[in-house]
Amino acid sequence: MTRSEPAAEPSEEYGTVERVLAAQRGDDDALYALISSVRMKLYAIAYAYLRDEADALEAIQEATCRAYVKLKKLKEPRFFHTWLIRILINYCIDEQKRKRKTLPLPRLPEPLAAELALDERMTLRIAIDRLAPKYRHVIILKYDQDLTLTEIARLLGKPEGTIKTWLNKALKDLRRLCGREGGGSYAKS
């Protein structure tokens, strides 16, 4: 029987599955090990969405609490990490919506705005924030988190073809929002 997966993945997956099952039986150390194994990835994703260290750490804490409460409802232990990241992303999206309702856009100090590279990055960041949520998620996961389209599709629960379409539309919108010369160097697929 031939497998298309590398030999190392099944044993790694098996370890994850065993830890998830142990955590579902009440082993807090197993849950801690599972979350600790992806803590840097969780932080990077939360920070990419919220762009604030304290908010990112709070998001991880909240996602961890939600995962702890709902852990027994997880039907596929091998998808624990995907499930946890989805909880985190949903929390981050909710936080973004909440903050948009309460906080105006911050103004940049003039000396910082004078720097061309920073200005281009800020233009791009503002353009990303103006994208439709589904497009924004794909851009953040692809370019900030360096996930593959297959990983993004699995994480968002969508077909890979849909993710490719969303990415192409997002890049087209970014080029339009940033202008050819302002966004061209950043928004290439």
Side-chain angles (χ1 to χ4, degrees), residues 14-178:
Y14 178 77
T16 298
V17 170
E18 289 301 311
R19 281 188 175 144
V20 172
L21 293 173
Q24 286 179 321
R25 290 189 302 265
D27 184 346
D28 290 339
D29 291 334
L31 180 61
Y32 177 79
L34 286 164
I35 293 170
S36 293
S37 70
V38 291
R39 70 182 183 276
M40 296 308 291
K41 187 173 197 167
L42 294 173
Y43 177 78
I45 290 170
Y47 191 84
Y49 275 92
L50 302 173
R51 289 189 296 278
D52 180 79
E53 183 178 358
D55 290 345
L57 294 172
E58 183 177 328
I60 294 167
Q61 183 177 3
E62 182 62 28
T64 301
C65 287
R66 290 178 183 186
Y68 181 79
V69 170
K70 304 271 186 190
L71 185 59
K72 291 186 191 262
K73 294 183 180 183
L74 177 63
K75 294 177 183 171
E76 285 290 336
R78 65 189 172 122
F79 293 126
F80 173 81
H81 291 118
T82 302
W83 176 73
L84 179 61
I85 291 169
R86 190 173 293 159
I87 291 171
L88 177 66
I89 289 172
N90 287 337
Y91 176 81
C92 290
I93 292 167
D94 290 345
E95 273 301 292
Q96 285 178 327
K97 288 176 187 174
R98 188 185 64 78
K99 284 186 176 192
R100 278 196 191 115
K101 290 179 182 177
T102 59
L103 298 176
L105 282 175
R107 293 184 56 119
L108 287 174
E110 287 304 315
L112 290 177
E115 293 181 33
L116 183 60
L118 178 60
D119 185 43
E120 288 176 350
R121 286 194 307 261
M122 291 303 297
T123 299
L124 179 61
R125 214 19 105 175
I126 290 168
I128 290 171
D129 286 344
R130 291 176 60 194
L131 291 173
K134 61 186 178 185
Y135 299 155
R136 185 173 50 246
H137 302 317
V138 172
I139 291 291
I140 288 171
L141 294 172
K142 173 81 173 135
Y143 295 105
D144 284 356
Q145 300 307 310
D146 201 30
L147 296 180
T148 66
L149 294 178
T150 304
E151 291 170 327
I152 296 169
R154 186 173 358 119
L155 187 63
L156 298 179
K158 300 290 181 190
E160 192 171 337
T162 299
I163 299 302
K164 287 179 184 177
T165 300
W166 288 0
L167 178 61
N168 287 331
K169 287 182 180 181
L171 292 172
K172 182 179 177 183
D173 286 352
L174 283 176
R175 287 183 188 106
R176 182 182 50 78
L177 290 168
C178 292

